[in-house]
Structure formats: structure tokens, C-alpha cells
Amino acid sequence: MKDTEIKRLLSAHIVSVLSISLTTIVPPLFLENFSVLGTHLIWLCICSICVTTVNIILYIILKPNPSSKRISFAHKVTKFLKCCVFFFISCILFHGIIVLYGAPLIESVLETFLFAVLLSTFTTLHCLCMLGPNIQAWIRVFSKNGAMSIWDNSLQITTMCSIVGAWLGAFPIPLDWDRPWQIWPISCSLGATFGYVAGLIIAPLWIYWNRKQLTYKSR
Amino acid sequence: MFTFILGVTSNWTKIPSPLFKKAVIVLIDALRDDFVFGSKGKQFMPYTTQLVEKGTCHSFIAEAKPPTVTMPRIKALMTGSIPGFIDVIMNLNSPALLEDNLIWQAKTAGKRIIFYGDDTWVKLFPKHFVEYDGTTSFFVSDYTEVDDNVTRHLDNVLKREDWDILILHYLGLDHIGHLTGPNSPLVGPKLYEMDNILKKIHTSLLSKEEESSLPNLLIVCGDHGMSETGSHGGSSEEEVQTPLLFISSAFEKRNGPLKQPELVQQTDLAATLAIGLGLPISRNNVGNIILSIIEGKPMREQLRFLHLNGFQLSRLLQENMPTYEKDPGFEHFKIAEKSHGNWIKLYLEGNNSEVLLNLGKKVLKQYLEALKILSSSLSKQVAQYDMYSMTVGTVIVLEVLLLLLLSMPKALSSRAEFEVPLSPPLFSLLFYLMCLMLCAVHVIVCTSAESLCYFCSISWLMAVGVMMLISALMCVILSAFGKMLENPKLPAKNPAVSNSSWSELDVLMLAGTVAHAVSLGASSFVEEEHQTWYFLINTLCLALCQEICRHYFLVKECDLQLSTAVKQNFEDIEETAQCRSVDIPSCDSKLGKVTSSGEFLKGSEKWMGLASPWIILICCRLLRSLNQTGVQWAHRPDFGHWLTSSEHKAVLSLLAAISLVMIFILVQRRCSLVSKIAMALGLLGVYSYRAAIGNVVFPWQQDSKDISKGIIEARFVYVFVLGIIFTGTKDLLKSQVISADCKTKSIGLWEVYSGLVLLAALLFRPHNLPVLVFCLLIQMIMTRCIWKPLKFDAAQITIMHYWFGQAFFYFQGNSNSIASVDISAGFVGLDNYVEIPAIFLTGFATYAGPLLWAIHLLCYLSSEVSRNSAAMGHGCFCYALICSVPVTVYIILVTGLRYHLFIWSVFSPKLLYEGVRVFITAAVCMFFTAMDQNPSQKIHD
Ligand SMILES: [Zn+2]
Ligand SMILES: [Zn+2]
């Protein structure tokens, strides 16, 4: 049971990683002058959209937290709308935090906001797919020892890694190397992406290594 | 032929006759290049602009080397050498210049020199002037009298004939810069005044010229520029580039379009002037002759001048570099010398054709090339480092840090004992052996090295003392280490360390401390250190937010479930032990029903707690946009500049008034009534002081009245500062001697703290008053909503205080460049420069942020003593440790990076800041220990 779960997780994560790497390879075939550094904003949009679609498709296929009772269509719609609101709120929240960290308030609003959207897709969207718009479940997952399945564990790891990646990505900005990737928000968004990818790779491995210690209580 | 060349050579080193009869040097302090060549120059300096564009004038941009502070710059101008960094400190009290310099050469040559202006010159060249009048440069808020004191002599001197060199040093512009910045409306009139002075001197020089055979020379220069904030000391382009004008009828009138002025080095002036006045070039000069000045002379003389310069430079190279013969500059010079000899031969043969001229030009080019390489390799020739003394210093610092680290488990134990086992190691054999060994090393090093080390220059007893200190520290460390090995289980018993699970906050604090210390190795991170601290405190706030969430949402539920679970069944205890994994919904419904008024109060406290990190984050973001510091983004517009510009005086006044009221509200809550009144009057005094010196206005006073120095108002505030601190100290003494209750003590501490806040309010520029308000506000929010309810231990609180203190150092507008030190704070309420109070006040104003946070830490911990009796001891120890880590790492890094390109512009100023910080930390720790004496005795009794 557990091993098959881990395999499912691994395959899902590999698909995600591949989709992210495709965002750097495919667009130049259609768009002229496209490069991750040069037209960073376009890349941000493409990456966010791609990760979003892949996550949703994976969610529909895999159904990590299957619920027993059937849900009415109206309920599904409200759930979807709720998810959208949650996602938007999280974008605004991330934007606010980034500005508090020192990003300019008025200049380069678009850059900051797209970066916030990217961070939200890596963290909030992932959570929304797994847990749905259910705050209690979120708090449970993100409190210590709150994971109830390997999906929750992977969620913890990828979210942490993306945020830490974005955090570490801010370090090269003050250096006086005058490299193109030091421009706001390139280093941070690249950091977040690398963190996310690293999280996707680490999570199955970590779960695999610790599969003996991991015991999940079902409630 | 051989003898012929020899004959010429003997003639070569003789000094040629002067090119100019009289020279007037007008040094305008902080004259930036765009004040003459830019739009400001065109507008306010019409005469000079006309000279530059059409007159008999050569104009250059002279590049000054950092530190761009007056005294080292004067040295550079007059000796042609690059002074060391230590001159920044000497800037305050300069000893006489012993190095070979132009003034000395001129005096020995029998020239009569007159000087008026900044008295730094008089101190540097004490007996060199036949007539002088020094004005003190330290009273920065005066910018008319300093210059009038110079100008009043001018008419008289210009009429007279009994001088050869006249030096004028005008300080007014620099003072205006320090007061109000380069864009102030005061700059224009000052430049106009300078322009008139130049016109007067120039016409007078021209009128005298007819009788004499040689022309006169007028030199206009600046010692350094002025940054966009109006200060100087750093290495930004605005601070480094100064104009340099040579005006003389000997030059040809400029015709044709105006070119961009050529870039030269500031050190080039000394050599050029020496040649111009027929003096030997001073020994340590690294500058080149500026060719345009001697262009009008015949080729033979030009070559001779260049040869003199090259000869002097190559001799200097010989003295400083053992492998000088391999230096490309030296090789070039030898080649040029040879072709020069050939050229002379042709010349003497009477060959006076086009060929000779072209050949001469070739030789000239060779010489210029050689000079350029020579002086660049000489400038690169770094100062001789006294590696031995540096190692000794590093070893001492390392040993102290190691000692602190080793005693950490003991000092953080519940008894908070920090005892250095001194007597047993002192009598051990090892100690004497170490001493003996160090003495031997010292003797060997000092006899083998050709240059004297620092330890040989200090007194004999001191050197022995240092050696004993090193070996004693070594022995103490060894014994402490041995003790640790003996009972390795000791740390586990300590409550502070035994909490083996590290929270995210602890990880963050450790990682932040290490990351900051390591980041100091990169010059950009030193320049932009404020970014590191802002980043860290932001992350700290978010981590606190998470901690608070956990505290209010999870732990409480866990308690609740624990109690209910215990009631329900005992078997389930095992499960409830993992109470953190509890989910909320099941408990929430139970909780929701048990609401009462007490619950409601708890709820408001909870929401306050949850909101407080965000409020602090917003405060920090606002403060961050108040002062833009650092290097890369320093030019960005910030709120502080907007406020200080003269159009926004009303807004600034309003802001200052609101800030002062806020300060009063925030400080008074824990003061006694007397201090409250004193505080209110003091803050009123602060406002009237700022109004008196013209920073802010009273609403009833519309027209700007004449600006005074505000001495009475400032002294009025000082009286209250001293009064409040005195009452505080009295309370402290009372609690210490009679060992009264803790309350007297914490009131006393708070009063000392509020006295310091008042002093800071007086010394801070009005646009910085919000920094003080936010400092108090954040401290209050933190204490009320975060520290008290969450019961952090003393070590965590100390580190948080330290981080916020560091961040506030930069919020104030400080940076790691000398330029950002606000020296005007040292003159508040003083008539003229008095060394000790000025240094104290400047130091306090600069380090006000870290200091206020440190004293607040003391206040907070003394109120925590009831909960944890060892809090003060822990706090003191942690403060010392956390401050000494970056200093130690930085000293080691700088020692390693001593040949780095930015060593003088970036690393050394930071070292200076760190040095002062160590002093302040030591003072704070001493205060801590003094406060801690009493309770520890009580516990022992
Ligand atoms: Zn100066
Ligand atoms: Zn100055």
C-alpha cells in the first residue's frame, strides 16, 4: 500500500519537474527573443500557468485525499470559487510580505506581483489542490507532526523548500557583480523555482528513506 | 661622447628655474566638480566659467583618493603621496607633518608663504608660514564667519609685495554641505562669493604682472567633493571628483570649442607646483607633472621637467620595491632617458629641424608613458603591514572569543556564573613557558625584520604585559577546556541547553548570526550591510509571527485537550503527550462555547499578539524608506531627503512636533512625576533648539528670522537630560545600597533610559525623530505582546535586541562609510570645538540605535528577574558573545583581505566602526554587571 503510494507520488512529482523544465525549453520555439532572464515576466506567467495546470490535472487524476461521499455539482462550484478567492488572497499576502522585505512599493509593481503569483502557485495552489479551501486542514498540516499521509509530508517539504529558496534567492541582490540575473525579481523567482524543484525531488526520497518511522494516525 | 652625456647628467638633477613668480592657491573645501563645470558653476560662478571657457586657464578634474576627509587631502595635495587610513582619526587632531612636502621645500628655498583659512594647515605646518590666521573648522553650523575671517585679510595682502605664495582655505561651502546638502539654496550665494574672491585675486595678480618678468599663477582646487547628502569621506564619484584650475597669463588663450576637462590625480598638483615654482619635487610624491602647464615651454625644458619627475619617482620605487629593476615603469623610464640623451646630442649639434621636433615629441611620449606606469605601480604599492602586530592582536581577540564560547554552558546555567579560573593557570608551568616562548618569538621577529613593529615602539612594560595577557588567556582556555572534558555531561543539566529540540526561531538566530559574520568577507555585503540586517529582522518578525500562532492556536488547544483527555481516560495519556498533533476543529467547537468576559480579554490579547509582528514589519518598512543608505542604492530618493529640502519645512516641523509628542507619550508611562515634567520640558527645548538653528519653524513665525547657534536652548535640554539621568542613578544607587525592592531599580533604569532618549532626541536631525518614535513603539509592542506572553528566555531576547539595535543603526541613516557620520551632532550646544564632549556626543548620536536597544534590554531583563533570577547574567553574557562574534570574524577576514582592492575604501572604515562598537559593547556590559551585582548577592545570602 505504502510503496504504491510513494510510487504515485514520485511519478506525480517527476511530471511536475518535467513541466517546469519544459517552460524553459518550449516557449523559444513559439516566441521570438524569449529567454528566462531577458523576458523574465513572460517566463513568470508561463511558469505559473504551467504549474497550475499540471497541478490541477494531477489532482484530478490522482485524487490524493479521496472523500467517500459524493459531492453535488453546486458544492463543487462553490469549492472552486473559494479556491480562487484563497489563491488571490495568498497572492496579495505574498505581495505584501515581499514589499515589507524591501521591494519597491510603486515601481516594478508588476514584477513583484508576478513573483508573488509564482510563489503562490508553488505553495498555496499546491495546498489548495491537496487540501481544498479548508483552513483547519492547513493548520493541521503545517503544525508539527500534523501530517496524516505522505501527501501531507510532501506538501510540507515542497512548500518549505520553495519559500526557503525564494529567501535564499535574495542574497545575491546586493552583490556588485552587475549580472543580468541580479535584477529584481529574477534571482528570487529562480531561487523559488529551484527550491520548488528541489522539494519535489527531495520529498519522495525523504519519505522513502523514512518510511519506517512515518506512522500516520487516521482519525 | 660618453663624457659628454655624463656632463649633461650632472646638470640634469639640478633644479630648473621657476616658471611662475607668485602663486596663489585657493582651496575651497568640498568644492565638487559640478560646482564649477556643471550648471551650478555657469549660474553662480560667471567669472570662473568665463575663464574656463575663454580665458588663460587650464581646467582639470582632480581625483581624490578615499578617505575624502580634509586633513589627508591637504597632505596629499602638499606631499603628492597617498596618506594612510589612520589619518581619518588624526583628522580631528593633526600633528605636524614630518614628511617632505612642498611647503617645507618652499620655505627652505626662502619663499615667504602666507596662509589664511582652516587651522589644520597651521597644525600640519607649524612654523612654515610668515603670516597666518587659522580658523577652526569644527563649528560646522557657521558658514559665513569662517570665510569672512579669510577674506578680510585679502585686500591688504594683495596690495603688498612681500610674499611669494599665498594659500587660502575656505571652509564655508563644506559647512553648508554638512548642514543642508549640495542642493541647498545656500550653495549658490556661497559659490558666487567665491567667484568674486577669485575675480579679485585674479585681477590683482594681472595688474601686478606688468613690471615683473615672470607671470603669476592662480590655482583653484577643492580638497574633496560632497556626496548627495552633503557629507564626505567615502569613495563615491561625487565625493572624489574635484575641480582643479590653473590660471595664469603664461598660458595661451583658449580658442576653439570647450572640451570636457581632463581627469588627473589630486597628487599631481604637488609635482606640478614644485616644477612651477622651481622647487625640488618632494620625496614621497607619486604624482605626475600635468603636461599642459609646461606645454608653452621649449621642448628641451619640457623634457627636463619630465625627467626630473621620472627620476624622483624611480628613486622612490627603488626605496620601496626590492625588485624595482623588473618594474615596467622603471624599464620604460630607462629607455626614455636613453632616447632623451640622444635627443640632447642632436640638439646640441645644432640640428634644429622638423626631425628634432618629432623626435622630441616621441621622447615626451615615452616619458609620459613611463611616468604613468611608475606612479600607478607606486600607488598600488600598499602600505607595509606590520604582520607581526596584526597577528598578536588577532590572537588576543580569538582567545577572548574562544573563552566566551567555552564558558557558554556554564554561563547560561541557572546560576549564571561566569568565573574565569585565573589563579591556578597563572601559577602553572605552562604559563611561564608560554611567556618565555613569546619573548623569544618577539626577539627573533623584531631583530630579523628591517622595519620596526608596533610592539617595539610602545613601552617595554606594555609589550611584556601583552605577552603575559596572551599566555594567561591561553592557559585559562586550556584549563576551561580540560574541565569540559572532565565532566562532559555538565551541559546536559543546564536548562538553557537541555531543550534539545531547537525551535525555528533558534535555528534562524544561529543561521542569521553565522550568515552575517560570513557575509562581512564580501565588500558589497559590507557596503550594503543594512540590507542584511533589514532582511534578518524581517525574517525574525515572521518567525515570531509563526511562534505566536503556535502559542495561541496550538498550545492552548493542547492544554485543553490534555485536561479533558485526562478526565476521560487515563489510557490515552500516551497519545495526548503528542499534543501538538492535535487538530483544531474538534476542540474549537468545545472552546467556542466556554466564552466569558475573561475569555474575551484573552481574545483581545491574542489578536494583539497576532497583529503585533505585522505592525512591527510595517514600522520597519517605513523606517527603511526614511533613510536610503549604503552605496548601490544610496542615490534613490528617500523620504528623509524630501523632508530636509527647504520647500517642505512645514511638513518637517509638523512631523518633528508629532514625533516629540509621541516620544513623550511612549516614555512617560513608567517615569516618576518629576521626570515626566522634566521630559516634557526637555522635549519642548528640543523643538525650540531645532527652531533656533532653522531646521523647523514655529507656526507663529512665518518669515525666517536670522539663524542662531541655539546654544541656550541646547544647554536647557542638557540640564534636563542630566537631571533625569541623575534621578535615575539616584534610584539605582538607593536600590543597590539599601537593597530596596526591585521596583525602585527598574524605575531607576527606566529613568536613565528616558534620559538617553531625550539626549538622542536632541542630537538626531529632525527628520530622524520618527526613528526614535518607532524604536520606542516597537520596544513597547514587543514587550507587551510578544516577549512577556511567550516567555522567551534571556538569550533569545538578547539576540533579538541586538538584531534590532543593529537594524536601527542603519535606520538612522548610518552606513559603513565614514561619510555618513553626522559630525554636526558633536557641536550641539557648544560654542566651539571641545574635544571630549564633541567626540562623546558624535559617538552617542551615531550609535544611539544599538545603545538604546541595549539599555532597553537591561530594563526588560531587570523586570524579568522575578521570573528568572539569572536573566541579567544570561543577558550580559549573550550580549558580549553576540557582539564579539562578528568583530572577531571580521578582524580575521580583514587580516586575510589586506591586499584587497577595496581595503581602504570599504574594509577599513568598517573596521573603525567595529572598533568603536567594541568599546560601546564593553561599556554596556560593564553597566550590566554593575546592575547585576545586587541580586546575585541576594541569592547567595
Ligand atoms: Zn574638507
Ligand atoms: Zn567636511
Side-chain angles (χ1 to χ4, degrees), chain B residues 370-508:
Chain B
L371 288 182
K372 213 168 154 191
I373 303 172
L374 270 174
S375 75
S376 82
S377 58
L378 274 169
S379 321
K380 255 186 237 148
Q381 175 102 70
V382 278
Q384 300 271 317
Y385 287 108
D386 181 1
M387 247 341 260
Y388 171 59
S389 311
M390 280 164 79
T391 321
V392 170
T394 316
V395 165
I396 295 177
V397 173
L398 254 180
E399 282 182 340
V400 171
L401 181 70
L402 215 66
L403 188 63
L404 281 175
L405 283 174
L406 275 177
S407 45
M408 189 154 76
K410 227 174 169 189
L412 289 183
S413 69
S414 54
R415 297 196 52 184
E417 50 191 7
F418 177 61
E419 274 165 12
V420 181
L422 205 60
S423 54
L426 264 190
F427 294 107
S428 68
L429 184 64
L430 185 68
F431 173 69
Y432 296 106
L433 281 178
M434 283 273 307
C435 279
L436 216 65
M437 200 185 77
L438 285 174
C439 282
V441 167
H442 179 76
V443 169
I444 291 169
V445 168
C446 290
T447 46
S448 63
E450 63 260 37
S451 57
L452 269 182
C453 76
Y454 176 71
F455 284 103
C456 299
S457 63
I458 57 173
S459 84
W460 190 87
L461 264 175
M462 280 269 281
V464 171
V466 168
M467 271 184 261
M468 287 190 30
L469 180 71
I470 295 177
S471 23
L473 276 171
M474 192 69 211
C475 292
V476 169
I477 286 172
L478 281 178
S479 75
F481 195 67
K483 257 186 205 159
M484 253 185 86
L485 285 182
E486 264 171 43
N487 40 358
K489 278 178 192 168
L490 183 78
K493 284 176 198 159
N494 300 314
V497 192
S498 65
N499 290 340
S500 54
S501 67
W502 287 51
S503 72
E504 284 89 345
L505 203 65
D506 294 327
V507 174
L508 170 69

Side-chain angles (χ1 to χ4, degrees), chain B residues 29-30 70 174-175 178 224 232 823:
Chain B
D29 210 291
T70 304
D174 179 61
H175 290 187
H178 282 294
H224 47 75
H232 53 88
I823 51 168

Side-chain angles (χ1 to χ4, degrees), chain B residues 29-32 64 66-73 88 91 118 137 140 169 171 173-179 182 223-236 238-242 815 817-823 913:
Chain B
D29 210 291
L31 188 67
R32 206 160 81 170
T68 44
V69 185
T70 304
M71 200 275 275
R73 292 303 102 219
V88 177
N91 189 36
D118 185 357
S137 65
V140 271
H169 186 149
L171 282 168
L173 186 64
D174 179 61
H175 290 187
I176 289 174
H178 282 294
L179 273 179
D223 56 345
H224 47 75
M226 186 189 285
S227 69
E228 275 306 301
T229 53
S231 57
H232 53 88
S235 48
S236 70
E238 292 91 5
E239 288 161 84
V240 164
Q241 296 195 342
T242 62
S815 70
S817 142
I818 301 290
S820 61
V821 178
D822 177 16
I823 51 168
Y913 274 105

Side-chain angles (χ1 to χ4, degrees), chain A residues 97 99-105 136 140 143-145 167 170-171 173-176 217 219, chain B residues 524-525 528 535 538-539 542 550 554 580-581 583-585 588 614 617-618 621 624 632-633:
Chain A
I97 290 176
V99 169
L100 287 177
Y101 260 99
L105 185 65
Q136 262 83 42
R140 171 180 60 74
S143 57
K144 266 186 189 168
N145 311 325
W167 192 79
F171 279 88
I173 296 178
L175 289 171
D176 57 356
K217 302 185 308 278
R219 351 188 292 97
Chain B
S524 332
F525 278 121
E528 308 288 328
F535 198 71
N538 259 320
T539 315
L542 290 178
R550 183 172 295 159
L554 293 174
R580 276 178 181 171
S581 66
D583 61 329
I584 317 307
D588 229 26
W614 300 99
L617 279 173
I618 291 167
R621 185 66 181 83
R624 187 193 181 109
Q632 276 191 59
W633 295 282

